[in-house]
Amino acid sequence: MPGSSPMHSDTYYMSEALKLADAAKAKGELPFAALLVSPAGDIVLTEHDRVAELRDYTQHAETRLVKTACAKFGPDLTGYALYTTCEPCAMCFTTAWLARISKLVTGTSMAAVYELSGGQQREMPISAGTMNRMGGHAIELVELVLADECLALFEDADFGLHDGQVSG
């Protein structure tokens, strides 16, 4: 996926993130995935959660991706867009905010995943919109792109991964 054709729609980039999330789920992870789009419109990095693989609850797709991007492109990611299959948690949002990501595009909401999981998906209940308003410099926030498709990936997911039962 890195090196894709420039300047596609938010729907196109989210559909690419959905493919990553589906592959992560096939590997035993929850279907959280993210991709980074350069100012020129190229997909330059992709990532998915690696919580089960690395037995570490902080190995979220967005945080891993932003850290890799900062190492590769420098600490200021102004002009870059981050696409995530689910609204980022507080840790992931803050990571993107600190790196000065210009645009954040989300799929489903964390509230919808929480409800679908019967409360098993454990995250701080702070919306990206709330964090964005409180942050001082706002990220362009586009929410609920392909939300139904993103949420559908969670329908038969193993939420035990995030309930103290990391396998491996």
Side-chain angles (χ1 to χ4, degrees):
M1 276 176 256
S4 72
S5 299
M7 306 317 286
H8 290 288
S9 68
D10 289 339
T11 301
Y12 169 79
Y13 293 121
M14 189 60 70
S15 68
E16 294 299 304
L18 274 163
K19 293 174 191 174
L20 295 168
D22 194 41
K25 187 175 175 182
K27 294 177 184 176
E29 297 287 351
L30 287 174
F32 293 102
L35 59 83
L36 188 69
V37 176
S38 74
D42 294 315
I43 297 173
V44 293
L45 290 173
T46 63
E47 189 57 87
H48 63 79
D49 266 25
R50 296 181 188 270
V51 170
E53 174 190 346
L54 299 174
R55 298 178 47 82
D56 178 347
Y57 290 119
T58 68
Q59 296 298 319
H60 293 194
E62 302 93 334
T63 294
R64 291 180 56 81
L65 185 137
V66 170
K67 285 180 167 188
T68 300
C70 288
K72 187 171 183 175
F73 306 119
D76 186 340
L77 299 176
T78 299
Y80 286 83
L82 176 63
Y83 288 77
T84 68
T85 54
C86 183
E87 175 182 36
C89 71
M91 174 182 71
C92 293
F93 183 90
T94 301
T95 302
W97 182 84
L98 287 170
R100 299 190 177 276
I101 292 284
S102 293
K103 181 178 180 180
L104 173 63
V105 181
T106 68
T108 191
S109 70
M110 188 59 73
V113 172
Y114 182 82
E115 183 177 322
L116 179 72
S117 74
Q120 291 182 57
Q121 178 57 32
R122 188 171 166 259
E123 301 288 350
M124 295 293 293
I126 304 169
S127 73
T130 298
M131 290 183 282
N132 203 32
R133 284 189 299 279
M134 295 172 66
H137 73 268
I139 296 173
E140 178 186 349
L141 184 59
V142 180
E143 298 178 288
L144 303 176
V145 174
L146 299 179
D148 292 340
E149 294 89 335
C150 291
L151 183 61
L153 283 175
F154 289 91
E155 287 178 359
D156 60 351
D158 179 8
F159 288 97
L161 286 173
H162 290 267
D163 193 26
Q165 302 173 22
V166 177
S167 61

